[in-house]
Amino acid sequence: MNLSDSQTGGVPGPRRVSAMEAVLAHLRGAIERGEYAIGDKLPSEAELCRTLEVSRPVLREALRALQTMGLTVSRTGRGTFVVADAVAGPTFGDYSAGHLLEVRRHVEIPVAGYAALRRTQDDLDRLTALLERMERETDTTAWVAMDTRFHLAVAEASQNPVFRRVIEELRDALARQSAFLNELGGRREQSDREHRAILHALIAGSEQDATGAMTHHLDRVESTLADIVRRARPVPSRPTSSRQ
């Protein structure tokens, strides 16, 4: 199997599976089958790169995803250890996915409504320019940074500094979640469309449309997270690939 451009049978639609996803599926499967038991240390990065025939950046992304899923923990100077044999739910920094989403629903949905009623022309210009940059951006890291900036700008448009402070507190977790969803869920283009719907509602000054658009956006975030956690893919005994 070529990890750089292969498409796995368990994934619906045209989205192709990246090398990182294939490595993640292999390591996740090995943990869930008990090949690496709770408390075991995974082989070194050098050994895994050699065995799986992938580059170190690809492997490190997969290891970070394993940790986000709660299957492993990285201990500085010691390596990566297995701490669970099944995915209970991703974590993003200090927050679980469930806790983060619960707060986002209670904060960002009403914030979008307030922003629709209170936004200034400067707010709309800022959001429009930001979204146009996001839709053109090709670098994933830069896009993720702008994704969190978009949500912060919506909070700023509510003209309530407390809302802005709350989103600022969540900024690191939001960035981690965004990167996770884009890498494993192919969410970027869909997210751009959802952001565009939010912006259109703010431009129209419609509180109802703005809260509806933000609700839809967070619904899609939740469903993609659920798909990633439960997704069943054929797991090869040893993925092979040319190095990237």
Side-chain angles (χ1 to χ4, degrees):
M1 179 175 68
N2 188 321
L3 297 187
S4 61
D5 61 4
S6 63
Q7 184 174 341
T8 309
V11 180
R15 194 175 75 83
R16 292 186 178 274
V17 176
S18 68
M20 189 283 283
E21 289 178 280
V23 173
L24 173 61
H26 168 76
L27 293 175
R28 174 180 172 179
I31 290 171
E32 291 176 341
R33 291 191 300 269
E35 294 174 21
Y36 298 119
I38 294 175
D40 284 354
K41 178 183 175 182
L42 295 184
S44 68
E45 287 188 4
E47 184 178 348
L48 285 171
C49 286
R50 183 171 58 253
T51 302
L52 304 179
E53 299 181 18
V54 294
S55 65
R56 188 156 293 195
V58 167
L59 176 68
R60 285 178 174 172
E61 285 295 324
L63 292 177
R64 279 194 288 270
L66 282 178
Q67 186 164 334
T68 297
M69 289 177 168
L71 294 174
T72 63
V73 64
S74 178
R75 295 172 180 157
T76 304
R78 297 179 58 193
T80 299
F81 292 81
V82 177
V83 294
D85 56 10
V87 176
T91 58
F92 303 106
D94 295 331
Y95 308 114
S96 72
H99 288 163
L100 182 61
L101 188 63
E102 183 176 4
V103 170
R104 293 189 70 183
R105 286 190 182 281
H106 281 280
V107 174
E108 291 195 82
I109 292 172
V111 160
Y114 287 125
L117 298 175
R118 301 171 180 171
R119 83 290 185 276
T120 66
Q121 188 58 49
D122 284 346
D123 292 324
L124 296 178
D125 291 345
R126 188 178 306 113
L127 282 160
T128 298
L130 182 58
L131 186 53
E132 288 174 351
R133 286 177 57 200
M134 291 175 70
E135 291 171 340
R136 295 192 304 267
E137 184 57 62
T138 58
D139 180 77
T140 299
T141 301
W143 187 92
V144 164
M146 286 187 282
D147 182 20
T148 58
R149 185 70 188 90
F150 180 88
H151 286 272
L152 186 60
V154 173
E156 290 169 343
S158 75
Q159 311 306 325
N160 185 328
V162 180
F163 284 140
R164 185 193 187 284
R165 186 67 176 268
V166 172
I167 301 302
E168 185 68 51
E169 167 63 26
L170 299 177
R171 197 168 185 173
D172 178 67
L174 292 176
R176 291 170 184 260
Q177 182 184 73
S178 178
F180 183 77
L181 290 170
N182 285 313
E183 185 63 53
L184 295 179
R187 274 269 310 155
R188 180 169 164 171
E189 290 184 5
Q190 185 180 54
S191 187
D192 280 341
R193 290 193 296 271
E194 292 159 11
H195 287 158
R196 179 63 66 180
I198 293 168
L199 177 57
H200 283 166
L202 298 188
I203 292 172
S206 172
E207 179 182 11
Q208 181 177 355
D209 288 350
T211 56
M214 185 64 79
T215 299
H216 175 69
H217 179 53
L218 296 179
D219 285 345
R220 297 306 302 154
V221 167
E222 183 175 26
S223 64
T224 303
L225 282 168
D227 287 344
I228 291 170
V229 170
R230 66 172 174 259
R231 185 183 299 147
R233 294 197 187 111
V235 180
S237 58
R238 184 179 72 88
T240 58
S241 171
S242 58
R243 291 182 181 271
Q244 294 190 347

